[in-house]
Each structure stands twice: as structure tokens, then as C-alpha cells.
Amino acid sequence: MTAATDATLFPQVPATADAVLDGLDPEQREVATALHGPVCVLAGAGTGKTRAITHRIAYGVRAGILQPGSVLAVTFTARAAGEMRGRLRQLGAAGVQARTFHSAALRQLQFFWPRAVGGELPRLLDRKGPLVAEAAARCRLRLDRNELRDVTGEIEWSKVTQTVPADYPAALVKAGREAPRDPAETGQIYATYEQLKRDRGTIDFEDVLLLTVGVLQDRHDIAEQVRAQYQHFVVDEYQDVSPLQQRLLELWLGDRDSLCVVGDASQTIYSFTGATPDHLLDFRIRHPQATVVKLVRDYRSTPQVVHLANGLLAGARGRAAEHRLELVSQREPGAEPVFTEYADEPAEAEGTARRIRDLIAAGVPAGEIAVLFRINAQSEVYEQALADAGVPYQLRGAERFFERPEVREAGVKLRGAARFGGNDTLLAGAAGLPSEVRAVLSDMGWTDQPPAGSGAARDRWESLAALVRLAEDFARARPTATLADLVAELDERAAAQHAPTVEGVTLASLHAAKGLEWDAVFLVGLTEGMLPLHHARTDEQIEEERRLLYVGITRARRHLALSWSLARSPGGRPSRGASRFLGGLRPGSRAAGHRHGTGATGGVERGSGSAAPGRPRRTHRSPARCRVCHRTLTDPGEMKLMRCEDCPSELDEALYERLRDWRADQAARTRQPAYCVFTDKTLMAIAEAVPTAAEDLAVIPGVGRRKLDRFGADVLAICAGEEPDGEPAGGAAGGVESAAENSSKK
């Protein structure tokens, strides 16, 4: 199909190659025109990365630089691949292959298998579950539904990290991964599962990648044929690639470097599946001549939402944090994020439902509102609150609470217990009824303490624990209630939650929300122990929990609410605190330590009924204001100067020029761009403040502890009119200021 024909079928198809570039911002245009050599696009949330890379491919095709059939664009979901193909057609670049890793590998494997191995490709399993269950039975181990999911997940993780069964226990230790069950048993099931597949001539999803890698490694003639076909590669969501996917990509490439990768290390939230941002972070080490473009103009969220997201990442640690992107909102200012503390979980859910109802009444469509939580078991109280408020909702990425297998099974067992002796009023009440429920659920594996890890076993436990809590609350409200009364209550709750599933408020876990966005987002249950989860103990695990909250914040376009509750149930002891990640972000709060503490509890709204006697109502933090005219500041550069760009300045111009000369010398010594030492705005702020001591320099935005240690002595010497020694402390460059700040330089 020609471009002219495309233009007839799709009126919006650009008429020329240059027209493909129309409407792109400067950084997106840089991506679109960087068609040679390795390219690394660091793209923050909402910055138009899909737009940039599809226009890049389309521009290359329309300009005659790339042949459509020689381009393979790889992403992680069939939905994303389909969206990419649709955009490319609209840009006049039909014929480009846009596929998932597995889809591309399966296509190649089916084509080359007869030649490489002979015969037909083994049958691809639709589901692993039945065969894993059979493997467990062969090992004399019985797995319930949720344990089966956990073991299957461990097998998948092992295969994408190229771990064989015998090495599984050691690989767990090396990865710092908590196993959901005994590693030796899981390794035994894994080995038996692999043997069953071989015996029956079947392969699974991960085998598609493993076998393709094997064919390309062993048969150089086939590898060369694939490389002759595909000469240019684009990989989206590169922070999510597994070691196995990276190996396949390397085999596709061979010794060429015609590769463009796109990703954001701050959105790495799937490490439990084997994903790692290391390949993205090491890209410039493997390809020193790579073109690197940062997309930081956020077209999704208001400046207020973006400011909060940037603030959250400012406290991050680790490799991903060193490469974080500071976003710059391109939208008009909106409402400040709302932080609300509630007395208990039901009050939090009811307060959230009321606010959602108000938003809908104000014209926000229900389908443009989301309630996001850490684990699926948190959904039940919000399902109930929204149903009680008459607000339609839909669950994404999870079954409705009362439709979950473990909840249905528990209902059957409780109903049976009520029918056969569970109605003794002497045992009923605030103590007896919950004890009866615990006894029934203990037969299903419920215990007082949650299991380790965050897999299906944890989700199952959380569902059963929710039923125990419901029994406790019910007995407290109705001291004479029996088990039969509780069963009737459960039936009524299940019936009341049959709300429409179209155009409803989305209820989803933070993981399920990745890649989506809404006008209004409610982040709920943000208590210490839930986010981060209490079993997140290592620095790496804590930082992944932080990134999960970052993903949640950046889903919001205009309205953002964050909430937590002090107690689990009404009247309970207020023993919980807000997540440590909110420390320093909430108005009036202090930044919490990296591993411990929750920060001060200040500057938040109080939910209905949550204000403790004698506690003053806290007020919101004032926004950043110009120190000259007092206008609210939203531009990062102006916020760094603490004044409007056009307001009168007390800049010491001679000092500013000396600082610029010193910076140029430092940049030459460390072989990095000058703005990586300090941006122009930071130098201007220093030249306006003229600090005389380290503590004065440290409070200037853009300095920070690392740069204070590295460059502080030199800067203070220059401010004092003295000569610096010129040698930067600590070796390599001490941290790059954000591209967002760089984009606002003058």
C-alpha cells in the first residue's frame, strides 16, 4: 500500500516524510530523526514515548531510510503492539512488524523448526497449571489452587532468568527472593514438570523464547537469515526485559547496533517476574556512542501531580534512582493533591466513595475515576462502599471479592458449619463468633500470621483475613449474632455488589494500573506495612515499593487523592501510621528515613469522624511562591530561583560569570556536559544568595548532599572571592541534574 493510498484511506496520514514530524516537541523530534546507530530514549510517565517512537519509525520509512519489512518493533503486551501497528498505519508506515517478544519468537520458531530440528514444532501448552499440578502429584505433594499459582510463577521466573531446576534454591538466595514454599520442593516439582513436557512433546510459553535462543545460537545460517530480514529494532518498556529476552534481542542484532530502546527505570515494578532495569541502565556502557534522549515534558498530569511524583522519587535510592527523570508538566495548573487521614478502613472507604460521588456529580465520568490499592484483598471494603453509595464500579486485574475461589469456598464451609452446630448463641458474640470463623477457616490454611512473599498464597490469606475481620466487626455490632446470621450477612453483601461493570469506577491494584491513566485517581490504604508491604525488607524491595507508588501517582491527570487509616476497624486502636513514602510530601510532614519511620503526621485533611479529641485540625502546605511578587510558582526553573523569571533579581553577575567559568573547567575535567555539574538556574540561585557556609549552600535547590560534598568547597571559595583548588572530590561525576531543569535553562 502506498503513502498516497494510505492518505485516501486515512485522511490524517501525513502527506510527506517531513509532515510526520509536525506536532512533535523538540525532544520527540530528536528521537524521530535519530535513525542511525544505537538510540536510548529515557521516557518519563506521560511524556508521549509511543508517539515519539512510532513517528520515528514512520519518518524513517517515509523518508526511504528504513524498509517497512526490515523493522521489528517489540513491546510487552498484545494490546500495546496492536496500538503501535494502528498508529503506524495512520502515519503511512504499514508493513512494519510490531509484536511482543513471544509472538515474534513463536513466528520464527514455527518457520525454522522443520529445518533446524525436523518435524513439526511441539504443541504449545495453553496453560501450565494442570501439568504443574500433575508434576506435584508425582512428587507426592498436593497443591491447592493458590499454591499451584505460586509454584507456576516460580517456574516461570526460573525460566526467564535461565535457571535450571537444580540451581533454583541457590538462585533464590542470590536474587534475594522470598520463596512462597520450600525451595527444594519447588525445584523438584519444576524438574518433574520439565520431564513431563518432554515425555508428551509439549512446550510452554517460556520455552518459545528458550528454543528460539537455542536455534539462533546453534544455527548460524538461520541466525543470519533472521538478521537479513530484520535490520532495525525498537524495544519499548525496555526496563521490563528479562535476561532471556535480552539474550534473544542480542541474537537478533548480531554485531549490528541499529537498535532503539525506550524505557524508564523509575517504572520498574515487575522484578518478581524476572524483569530488571539493568539492561536499560547499562545501555550506554554497552553502547558508548549511543544517542541518548530524555523525554521529560509530561502531557498527562497537572503541575501539582507532577510535583508530587518528582518529590517521591527525590527520596529514592539505588541505581534506578540515580537515573530518575524529573518531569515538567505541560498542562494548566490544577488542584493540589489531597492527603486524608481516616480513623479506620471503613471510614476511609466511605470517605473515598463520597468524594467519588461528588466528582461524578461535578461532571467527571465514572469511567475516568480509579481507586488503586496495593493488594487485591483491599478491594472488598471499597466494593461495598461504592455499592452503598450507588456508584458503579468495575474490577480490573482481579476477581470480585465474593467471586474469588477462596471466598466462595469459605462461604460454603461457613454455611455448612452454621447448619451443623454453628448456631449456639452461647458461643456467639464479640468473642465467640470470630473464634468459630477462625476455626472454620483454619481448615483452609488460614493462620494468625501471613505467609512470606507476595504471591497467590498471600492474596489467599488476605482474602480469608478479610472474612475474619468482617466477622469481628459484625460480632462487635451485633453481640448476639450467630454464625447463621453472619452467613446471611455475607450473602447480602455479595448480592449488593452486583453493580454494572461498564462505565464504572475502576478498582485495581497498582500493578494492574500500569500503562493506564484516569482524570481522577484515589490511592488508598497507604499505611506503613501495606506500602511498603511489611515483608519488603531489603533496600531493593523497598525501592520497588516506592516505584509502585510512583506509578500510581502518575496515573492521574487532574485529580489525585492519597489516604490512609489509623485503625483497621471502627473503635480499634489507632496504631498505624501513614506510609514512610509520604514523609516530606504531605504538607507539614518530615521526610522519613529510608528504611524506618513514617515521618511526622502533619498537614493532612481528617476524614469524617477521624479527628482525635484535642487534636487541632491541620492545614495544607502553602504552594511555592515568588519571593518578590508572591505569585504561585509551578515552573521547575522558577521554583529553583524562588522567584518569577521576570521579577527583579539580586544576581551578582560577576560571581555568576566566575561560577560559569569554573563549571566549564569542571565539565572538561569530568568529561560531561556542563549542566551535569550545575544547571544555569542553580548557578543563578547561588549568585543571588552568595552563600558563606556549607549549610547556606545546601538549602539552594539543585545542590543536594552529593554535589555539596563534591563541589561545595570550590563554590564557597568562589563566593568568597578566593581561588578554588579545581579538583572535584570523589572521582566520576557526582550525579546528573534532571533534564527537566536542563530544558528550562537560559
Side-chain angles (χ1 to χ4, degrees):
M1 182 180 291
T2 65
T5 306
D6 277 350
T8 301
L9 295 177
F10 303 103
Q12 68 271 43
V13 170
T16 65
D18 287 341
V20 171
L21 304 177
D22 292 346
L24 300 181
D25 68 31
E27 293 79 24
Q28 291 171 344
R29 180 180 284 258
E30 186 178 356
V31 172
T33 54
L35 295 172
H36 300 286
V39 178
C40 180
V41 183
L42 303 176
T47 57
K49 67 180 178 65
T50 304
R51 176 180 175 83
I53 59 176
T54 51
H55 281 68
R56 177 181 187 272
I57 295 170
Y59 177 71
V61 169
R62 297 289 297 277
I65 300 171
L66 304 176
Q67 295 302 312
S70 71
V71 180
L72 179 58
V74 186
T75 188
F76 279 80
T77 66
R79 178 182 63 82
E83 178 186 353
M84 190 176 290
R85 287 193 297 269
R87 291 197 188 194
L88 289 169
R89 283 196 302 270
Q90 292 176 2
L91 293 169
V96 172
Q97 293 290 314
R99 296 181 175 274
T100 65
F101 269 103
H102 286 87
S103 173
L106 180 59
R107 195 162 180 255
Q108 293 173 18
L109 199 60
Q110 288 170 330
F111 183 81
F112 290 111
W113 187 266
R115 173 175 154 193
V117 181
E120 293 185 357
L121 181 69
R123 179 175 62 87
L124 181 62
L125 287 172
D126 292 330
R127 294 182 299 123
K128 295 185 184 69
L131 204 60
V132 174
E134 183 178 343
R138 295 266 183 115
C139 298
R140 300 180 183 275
L141 297 169
R142 182 182 176 185
L143 304 178
D144 64 26
R145 180 189 179 103
N146 292 282
E147 290 171 330
L148 179 60
R149 283 169 50 196
D150 282 341
V151 171
T152 301
E154 290 304 293
I155 291 174
E156 292 172 350
W157 175 82
S158 298
K159 299 184 78 166
V160 301
T161 56
Q162 302 178 80
T163 301
V164 298
D167 294 340
Y168 170 73
L172 284 177
V173 175
K174 183 178 180 180
R177 183 181 178 90
E178 285 196 63
R181 62 179 295 113
D182 180 72
E185 290 182 353
T186 300
Q188 185 183 8
I189 296 171
Y190 176 18
T192 306
Y193 166 76
E194 291 296 308
Q195 185 60 52
L196 284 174
K197 285 198 292 98
R198 286 191 292 270
D199 292 345
R200 297 177 186 180
T202 59
I203 59 175
D204 62 25
F205 213 45
E206 287 69 42
D207 289 332
V208 170
L209 299 184
L210 285 164
L211 291 171
T212 305
V213 165
V215 168
L216 296 178
Q217 284 182 159
D218 296 342
R219 292 292 299 269
H220 297 292
D221 57 328
I222 292 176
E224 288 306 316
Q225 188 173 343
V226 172
R227 292 166 192 159
Q229 170 70 47
Y230 295 116
Q231 300 171 12
H232 188 86
F233 296 86
V234 177
V235 183
D236 194 11
E237 302 289 0
Y238 193 55
Q239 78 278 353
D240 288 333
V241 296
S242 68
L244 180 57
Q245 290 165 331
Q246 175 64 22
R247 180 58 186 147
L248 178 58
L249 178 61
E250 291 168 354
L251 289 166
W252 281 340
L253 274 167
D255 58 1
R256 299 166 300 172
D257 63 1
S258 187
L259 170 66
C260 173
V261 300
V262 188
D264 178 9
S266 296
Q267 295 188 68
T268 305
I269 59 173
Y270 295 111
S271 65
F272 60 91
T273 67
T276 171
D278 288 346
H279 306 301
L280 175 66
L281 299 178
D282 293 339
F283 189 84
R284 284 164 289 184
I285 298 174
R286 297 194 309 274
H287 304 281
Q289 304 305 315
T291 299
V292 179
V293 184
K294 295 182 180 181
L295 301 184
V296 297
R297 300 174 194 255
D298 188 315
Y299 297 95
R300 175 187 298 160
S301 305
T302 63
Q304 288 76 11
V305 172
V306 168
H307 178 69
L308 184 67
N310 287 339
L312 176 66
L313 289 189
R317 304 289 188 274
R319 288 198 73 205
E322 293 171 4
H323 297 265
R324 64 182 176 268
L325 300 169
E326 187 164 348
L327 303 178
V328 183
S329 175
Q330 305 300 299
R331 297 193 59 161
E332 291 295 319
E336 291 287 341
V338 177
F339 295 81
T340 310
E341 182 179 274
Y342 290 93
D344 50 68
E345 288 180 7
E348 184 178 4
E350 291 162 9
T352 299
R354 283 195 302 271
R355 290 190 171 186
I356 289 173
R357 191 173 55 194
D358 292 343
L359 280 176
I360 294 173
V364 179
E368 286 295 343
I369 302 173
V371 178
L372 306 181
F373 33 76
R374 177 61 181 87
I375 60 173
N376 290 328
Q378 291 174 277
S379 75
E380 189 269 339
V381 68
Y382 292 93
E383 295 175 48
Q384 183 66 46
L386 291 172
D388 290 345
V391 175
Y393 67 88
Q394 55 184 329
L395 275 167
R396 181 180 182 89
E399 297 159 292
R400 295 165 65 88
F401 181 80
F402 285 103
E403 293 176 2
R404 295 173 190 164
E406 63 271 20
V407 175
R408 288 190 293 183
E409 181 186 353
V412 171
K413 289 184 177 295
L414 290 170
R415 190 171 289 106
R419 187 178 300 116
F420 299 104
N423 292 312
D424 190 341
T425 56
L426 293 177
L427 294 177
L433 178 58
S435 295
E436 288 184 275
V437 172
R438 292 190 193 98
V440 172
L441 298 186
S442 64
D443 291 339
M444 297 176 57
W446 182 83
T447 60
D448 287 333
Q449 296 299 319
S454 58
R458 171 74 185 210
D459 286 345
R460 174 184 173 87
W461 184 91
E462 292 287 356
S463 295
L464 298 180
L467 291 174
V468 172
R469 293 195 298 268
L470 192 150
E472 293 170 348
D473 297 341
F474 188 67
R476 193 177 296 112
R478 294 177 54 182
T480 60
T482 65
L483 194 55
D485 295 327
L486 176 64
V487 170
E489 171 72 9
L490 292 176
D491 289 342
E492 289 178 11
R493 284 176 173 251
Q497 292 177 20
H498 291 165
T501 57
V502 293
E503 275 308 303
V505 172
T506 298
L507 296 178
S509 69
L510 289 165
H511 281 106
K514 179 74 165 62
L516 304 174
E517 58 186 78
W518 296 269
D519 279 348
V521 169
F522 291 80
L523 301 176
V524 299
L526 303 180
T527 59
E528 189 70 13
M530 184 56 71
L531 192 73
L533 282 174
H534 73 90
H535 65 260
R537 299 185 180 93
T538 67
D539 288 349
E540 292 79 7
Q541 291 168 340
I542 294 291
E543 287 309 312
E544 181 135 343
E545 295 284 302
R546 183 193 300 274
R547 294 194 294 268
L548 201 52
L549 179 57
Y550 176 77
V551 166
I553 291 172
T554 55
R555 300 311 95 193
R557 298 191 193 107
R558 296 190 294 137
H559 305 282
L560 178 63
L562 305 93
S563 63
W564 62 96
S565 53
L566 299 176
R568 179 179 55 77
S569 57
R573 187 165 64 90
S575 58
R576 307 191 304 193
S579 166
R580 72 185 72 176
F581 298 142
L582 302 185
L585 300 181
R586 291 178 287 146
S589 68
R590 293 180 292 107
H594 178 47
R595 294 293 310 278
H596 303 287
T598 60
T601 55
V604 297
E605 290 189 2
R606 294 269 170 190
S608 176
S610 66
R615 284 188 185 175
R617 185 180 181 88
R618 286 154 181 159
T619 57
H620 287 291
R621 175 186 59 184
S622 299
R625 297 187 184 279
C626 173
R627 53 189 165 83
V628 180
C629 72
H630 305 295
R631 181 179 69 83
T632 299
L633 302 176
T634 57
D635 177 77
E638 293 184 340
M639 292 173 72
K640 179 167 287 190
L641 293 174
M642 289 305 294
R643 64 171 176 81
C644 301
E645 192 76 54
D646 52 357
C647 277
S649 167
E650 298 126 8
L651 177 71
D652 183 335
E653 293 186 3
L655 173 58
Y656 178 63
E657 290 303 319
R658 290 198 301 275
L659 288 168
R660 283 174 60 87
D661 291 343
W662 165 83
R663 181 183 67 177
D665 182 61
Q666 292 297 317
R669 288 174 182 271
T670 57
R671 298 182 180 180
Q672 59 180 330
Y675 68 82
C676 292
V677 180
F678 286 121
T679 64
D680 285 354
K681 289 291 172 59
T682 298
L683 293 187
M684 290 175 66
I686 293 171
E688 289 183 4
V690 194
T692 58
E695 53 266 33
D696 299 325
L697 178 60
V699 298
I700 294 176
V703 177
R705 172 54 56 186
R706 282 189 304 169
K707 293 192 177 182
L708 180 66
D709 293 340
R710 184 172 171 73
F711 301 123
D714 277 8
V715 171
L716 291 173
I718 294 170
C719 290
E722 302 168 358
E723 286 295 322
D725 66 17
E727 287 294 333
V736 178
E737 288 194 59
S738 75
E741 295 168 351
N742 181 39
S743 68
S744 63
K745 291 188 298 178
K746 300 296 180 186

mmCIF file of all heavy atoms in Angstrom, residues 120 258 270 290 301 585 627 698 725:
data_model
loop_
_atom_site.group_PDB
_atom_site.id
_atom_site.type_symbol
_atom_site.label_atom_id
_atom_site.label_comp_id
_atom_site.label_asym_id
_atom_site.label_seq_id
_atom_site.Cartn_x
_atom_site.Cartn_y
_atom_site.Cartn_z
ATOM 1 N N GLU A 120 7.370 -31.369 13.108
ATOM 2 C CA GLU A 120 6.554 -30.221 13.492
ATOM 3 C C GLU A 120 6.962 -29.713 14.870
ATOM 4 O O GLU A 120 7.441 -30.471 15.722
ATOM 5 C CB GLU A 120 5.070 -30.610 13.509
ATOM 6 C CG GLU A 120 4.501 -30.938 12.146
ATOM 7 C CD GLU A 120 3.008 -31.181 12.219
ATOM 8 O OE1 GLU A 120 2.447 -31.145 13.348
ATOM 9 O OE2 GLU A 120 2.398 -31.411 11.164
ATOM 10 N N SER A 258 21.878 -1.214 15.157
ATOM 11 C CA SER A 258 20.684 -0.477 14.732
ATOM 12 C C SER A 258 19.539 -0.808 15.678
ATOM 13 O O SER A 258 18.640 -1.592 15.364
ATOM 14 C CB SER A 258 20.311 -0.836 13.287
ATOM 15 O OG SER A 258 19.258 -0.008 12.842
ATOM 16 N N TYR A 270 8.104 -4.957 38.102
ATOM 17 C CA TYR A 270 7.842 -6.375 37.876
ATOM 18 C C TYR A 270 9.084 -7.234 38.103
ATOM 19 O O TYR A 270 9.254 -8.254 37.455
ATOM 20 C CB TYR A 270 7.333 -6.598 36.448
ATOM 21 C CG TYR A 270 6.000 -5.952 36.163
ATOM 22 C CD1 TYR A 270 5.908 -4.866 35.299
ATOM 23 C CD2 TYR A 270 4.840 -6.429 36.747
ATOM 24 C CE1 TYR A 270 4.687 -4.272 35.032
ATOM 25 C CE2 TYR A 270 3.612 -5.848 36.481
ATOM 26 C CZ TYR A 270 3.537 -4.764 35.628
ATOM 27 O OH TYR A 270 2.326 -4.184 35.374
ATOM 28 N N ALA A 290 26.071 5.728 21.878
ATOM 29 C CA ALA A 290 24.617 5.814 21.738
ATOM 30 C C ALA A 290 24.121 7.255 21.828
ATOM 31 O O ALA A 290 24.652 8.070 22.589
ATOM 32 C CB ALA A 290 23.937 4.972 22.801
ATOM 33 N N SER A 301 -0.311 14.895 33.203
ATOM 34 C CA SER A 301 -0.706 15.325 34.547
ATOM 35 C C SER A 301 -0.478 16.809 34.774
ATOM 36 O O SER A 301 0.389 17.433 34.150
ATOM 37 C CB SER A 301 0.080 14.523 35.597
ATOM 38 O OG SER A 301 -0.085 13.137 35.403
ATOM 39 N N LEU A 585 6.318 14.692 51.771
ATOM 40 C CA LEU A 585 5.431 15.042 50.663
ATOM 41 C C LEU A 585 4.141 15.670 51.163
ATOM 42 O O LEU A 585 3.601 16.582 50.544
ATOM 43 C CB LEU A 585 5.090 13.791 49.839
ATOM 44 C CG LEU A 585 6.260 13.044 49.203
ATOM 45 C CD1 LEU A 585 5.736 11.854 48.412
ATOM 46 C CD2 LEU A 585 7.065 13.965 48.308
ATOM 47 N N ARG A 627 9.473 35.016 45.833
ATOM 48 C CA ARG A 627 9.855 35.828 46.982
ATOM 49 C C ARG A 627 9.782 37.317 46.698
ATOM 50 O O ARG A 627 9.966 38.133 47.605
ATOM 51 C CB ARG A 627 11.255 35.449 47.449
ATOM 52 C CG ARG A 627 12.325 35.471 46.384
ATOM 53 C CD ARG A 627 13.621 34.864 46.934
ATOM 54 N NE ARG A 627 14.573 34.545 45.904
ATOM 55 C CZ ARG A 627 15.413 35.423 45.353
ATOM 56 N NH1 ARG A 627 15.410 36.670 45.763
ATOM 57 N NH2 ARG A 627 16.254 35.039 44.409
ATOM 58 N N ALA A 698 23.728 24.354 50.984
ATOM 59 C CA ALA A 698 22.974 23.099 50.908
ATOM 60 C C ALA A 698 21.492 23.317 50.669
ATOM 61 O O ALA A 698 20.821 22.477 50.067
ATOM 62 C CB ALA A 698 23.179 22.285 52.185
ATOM 63 N N ASP A 725 40.460 25.050 44.462
ATOM 64 C CA ASP A 725 41.585 24.191 44.102
ATOM 65 C C ASP A 725 41.345 23.494 42.765
ATOM 66 O O ASP A 725 42.273 22.955 42.164
ATOM 67 C CB ASP A 725 41.863 23.163 45.202
ATOM 68 C CG ASP A 725 40.734 22.154 45.383
ATOM 69 O OD1 ASP A 725 39.880 22.013 44.485
ATOM 70 O OD2 ASP A 725 40.722 21.499 46.437
#
